[in-house]
Amino acid sequence: MRASTSPTPRGTRRPRVLAAASAVAVLGMITLAGCGGSDDSPSPSGPDASASVTATPGKAAVTAAPVTMKDPWVKAAESGMTGAFGTLVNSTDADITVTSATSTASKRTELHEVADVDGKMVMRPKEDGFVIPAKGSHTLEPGSDHLMLMGLTGAVKPGDEVPVTLTFKDGRTLEFTAVAKEFAGGKENYEPGGSGMKDSDMKDSDMSNMKKD
């Protein structure tokens, strides 16, 4: 006698088929997502990521002033004070003003000019600073505008490199190194103009006898 086999109701087969189809679809989506991630989303450590970081301007690029100093030099001196010179070049379309300066080689650094006062050539602080014209230059030289390093912290000998930092009206700065060399000056007088420096700061500096060749 053959055993009778009852057919499986359709209602019990359909959920299993749907469940299997759903599992296949999910696996397919995971596989596609994985492939898409490897093609379209490069790793942060890849070449593209490093290039984007490099392209982002750093702090130095933001604060650096578009001014350069050509041929900077400083007069050698045993003590007291001395002067720094060179040509400031402005590459922008607007005037730029130098308002102050500092150097580790001196206690104080001033912006100076040489002016005719009652028929006598006098060095004195330049209160309004140095204006570098747009697309132009401003020369610092003996007998004219220059930087005065006052109260030297040590002897400045020929060949020494003296660091100087200029500050501009907009707050940006320019750092450069001036090479020391011998220089013979002329006959000028120094007018402190409220700088607070003492006579001892001028001793052996020969800056009171400096003029343009």
Side-chain angles (χ1 to χ4, degrees), residues 37-98:
S38 61
D39 290 341
D40 302 328
S41 304
S43 169
S45 60
D48 292 340
S50 61
S52 63
V53 172
T54 303
T56 303
K59 184 177 179 182
V62 174
T63 59
V67 173
T68 57
M69 174 65 94
K70 285 181 58 180
D71 305 321
W73 65 279
V74 61
K75 180 184 179 297
E78 287 298 320
S79 62
M81 62 184 181
T82 191
F85 315 94
T87 301
L88 291 162
V89 181
N90 178 4
S91 62
T92 74
D93 295 321
D95 293 351
I96 294 179
T97 302
V98 181

Side-chain angles (χ1 to χ4, degrees), residues 120-131:
K120 185 168 59 176
M121 299 306 291
V122 173
M123 288 189 299
R124 64 187 182 187
K126 190 162 186 175
E127 303 298 340
D128 55 352
F130 303 147
V131 179

